[in-house]
Amino acid sequence: MKLLALLYLLAMAPLHALAEQRLYLSTLEWPPYTSQALPDGGYATAVVSAAFAAVDIDVEVRYYPWARALSLVRQGKVDGLFPEYYDPEQRPNLLFSEAFPGGPAGLVKLRERDLPLRYGDHGPTGFPELHGLKIGLVRGYLNHPLLDSDPSLQRDFARDDQQNLSKLLAGRVDLIFIDHLVAQSLLREHFPQRQADIELIQPPLLQPTLHLVVPKRRVDAAYTLKAFNRGLQIIRDNGELQRLVERHGL
């Protein structure tokens, strides 16, 4: 029994050490999920902060352009990054947390454009119908796996979702891939006179979950992830996660 107790204390020690320091996390301006201008920093920021708070760990969230935020976590210069879609194959140097809810994501076009997209239960019935169309994506984002991997598709990369949406409105791309809630938030904030010009193609291609990711190269990565997952389970069990979903309108 004494040996088991000792092993338990040794296993818990790194988590206690984490509780004595502040973790630094990188993210981006991605309303309604993350933004310095939103209450609680946005929905995803509120979830991540609440999960760490549930295990007595303080976090500081720093906002960067996505490519910079991703570079920092890959280099191990921050303790973690959020929110990220789940795709370990495209992020082999990162560890993924347990999931928390996100919103729908899919293709968006100008309402006036008549594009030959045939939708089944899970999105377009094969991406050959997108050939010849210019598809706007954000550099460094994880999108639909086929949009990221099909070499025959014509991709046009933007620095962020706002620029991508601006390109669509200007007719510089035929379609963009974007989280639907992000598209609606950006339209309300930056393009209020153009909201009726945009069509969110239904059904969405994805209903992705969101994740915290941590760099494998950091010695404390597994402990950071373990602490977050434990905190996430606590706020899921006590109802706080659902309250955050409802409060932020997901």
Side-chain angles (χ1 to χ4, degrees):
M1 291 298 292
K2 290 183 178 180
L3 178 59
L4 289 175
L6 177 61
L7 291 174
Y8 175 79
L9 289 173
L10 289 174
M12 293 298 292
L15 295 183
H16 290 309
L18 281 178
E20 296 173 0
Q21 64 179 341
R22 174 172 293 187
L23 297 181
Y24 295 94
L25 307 177
S26 62
T27 190
L28 75 166
E29 287 287 334
W30 201 49
Y33 299 99
T34 55
S35 176
Q36 297 175 84
L38 290 175
D40 304 322
Y43 158 74
T45 306
V47 170
V48 169
S49 299
F52 277 119
V55 289
D56 299 319
I57 294 175
D58 188 27
V59 297
E60 180 175 321
V61 177
R62 297 173 174 177
Y63 294 80
Y64 302 94
W66 181 250
R68 175 66 173 155
L70 188 59
S71 175
L72 287 171
V73 77
R74 282 172 166 165
Q75 295 176 62
K77 293 183 177 180
V78 294
D79 298 291
L81 169 145
F82 72 94
E84 182 59 288
Y85 291 170
Y86 185 80
D87 193 337
E89 290 188 6
Q90 291 198 64
R91 300 284 192 256
N93 50 0
L94 301 176
L95 298 173
F96 285 75
S97 74
E98 297 295 328
F100 57 97
L107 296 172
V108 177
K109 71 178 185 70
L110 290 176
R111 192 173 299 277
E112 65 185 20
R113 290 290 306 277
D114 184 17
L115 299 178
L117 300 178
R118 303 179 304 278
Y119 266 62
D121 291 338
H122 303 289
T125 55
F127 284 161
E129 64 206 57
L130 300 182
H131 294 171
L133 300 177
K134 186 180 290 187
I135 303 167
L137 304 173
V138 176
R139 191 173 303 280
Y141 276 19
L142 294 176
N143 304 290
H144 187 286
L146 291 180
L147 291 180
D148 289 333
S149 64
D150 188 338
S152 63
L153 295 180
Q154 185 179 357
R155 302 173 183 84
D156 184 275
F157 291 98
R159 68 175 178 269
D160 55 32
D161 285 290
Q162 183 178 336
Q163 185 184 60
N164 208 21
L165 188 56
S166 179
K167 287 181 177 183
L168 179 66
L169 289 167
R172 294 168 57 192
V173 295
D174 299 299
L175 296 159
I176 64 172
F177 182 86
I178 190 170
D179 179 286
H180 285 186
L181 299 182
V182 172
Q184 292 166 342
S185 177
L186 290 174
L187 284 167
R188 287 193 301 269
E189 179 68 20
H190 299 286
F191 311 100
Q193 305 304 317
R194 302 293 306 274
Q195 294 184 69
D197 297 338
I198 292 295
E199 180 180 347
L200 308 178
I201 300 174
Q202 300 294 338
L205 286 180
L206 296 174
Q207 183 70 45
T209 53
L210 302 179
H211 302 261
L212 172 79
V213 293
V214 298
K216 289 181 179 180
R217 65 189 302 166
R218 289 184 67 101
V219 296
D220 57 353
Y223 301 114
T224 300
L225 209 60
K226 182 177 180 180
F228 175 77
N229 288 339
R230 184 201 295 173
L232 185 62
Q233 188 61 52
I234 290 171
I235 67 171
R236 180 176 285 115
D237 290 343
N238 67 19
E240 185 173 2
L241 178 58
Q242 183 57 36
R243 288 192 291 272
L244 290 174
V245 168
E246 294 170 0
R247 182 187 308 165
H248 290 272
L250 264 71

